[in-house]
Amino acid sequence: MPASRTGAPAFTVLPEPSELPEPLPEPGVDGLRLETVLGALSDPLRLTIVRKLLLESEDVDHSCGWFGLDRPKSSLTHHFKALREAGITRQRQYGLERRSRVRVEDLDARFPGLLDLVASWSPQG
């Protein structure tokens, strides 16, 4: 379903299959804090990760290799953890691999329009 309401690029929320691993610890919807979410999104790499998940998702969850980021694994682990702990993404453990997705429904419920802004952001390059 398109989630754009403000002229931003539309993004699709894929339904979650019933047999997914449990998510890693994350804040509940009521625990999402705007200053924490904005702090996590203030990093251009994390903003790029979230935007790519919104606009280019091919599956429910994506591994860090899917993003094609040329960064050390330890750096990427830090960024993905920051997004999860801020409540922006949900991560699940698949064997040795962690995969991520944006918590679209939760973020839209707490901060309507925020993800539309993220989707419409253009990285400077």
Side-chain angles (χ1 to χ4, degrees), residues 1-123:
M1 96 178 134
S4 177
R5 294 168 299 284
T6 62
F11 49 90
T12 302
V13 179
L14 299 172
E16 288 188 1
S18 59
E19 299 175 13
L20 291 175
E22 286 297 312
L24 297 175
E26 62 187 33
V29 177
D30 293 340
L32 297 175
R33 306 221 7 131
L34 184 59
E35 64 273 19
T36 305
V37 169
L38 292 177
L41 291 174
S42 69
D43 182 279
L45 180 63
R46 291 194 288 262
L47 191 54
T48 299
I49 289 168
V50 175
R51 184 174 187 270
K52 184 170 175 82
L53 280 170
L54 289 172
L55 298 177
E56 300 176 27
S57 279
E58 303 161 339
D59 204 351
V60 172
D61 295 331
H62 292 282
S63 67
C64 63
W66 175 79
F67 294 89
L69 301 169
D70 187 24
R71 300 286 173 98
K73 185 174 181 179
S74 60
S75 172
L76 292 176
T77 298
H78 164 75
H79 288 293
F80 282 99
K81 181 179 178 183
L83 289 169
R84 178 177 51 84
E85 289 181 346
I88 299 166
T89 59
R90 171 165 291 144
Q91 283 189 309
R92 290 186 169 88
Q93 190 79 34
Y94 291 81
L96 299 176
E97 180 178 79
R98 287 188 177 178
R99 299 182 192 170
S100 302
R101 76 174 303 175
V102 177
R103 293 174 58 185
V104 173
E105 298 87 357
D106 296 342
L107 290 165
D108 275 348
R110 288 284 286 152
F111 314 115
L114 176 66
L115 294 179
D116 293 331
L117 292 171
V118 171
S120 65
W121 171 77
S122 285

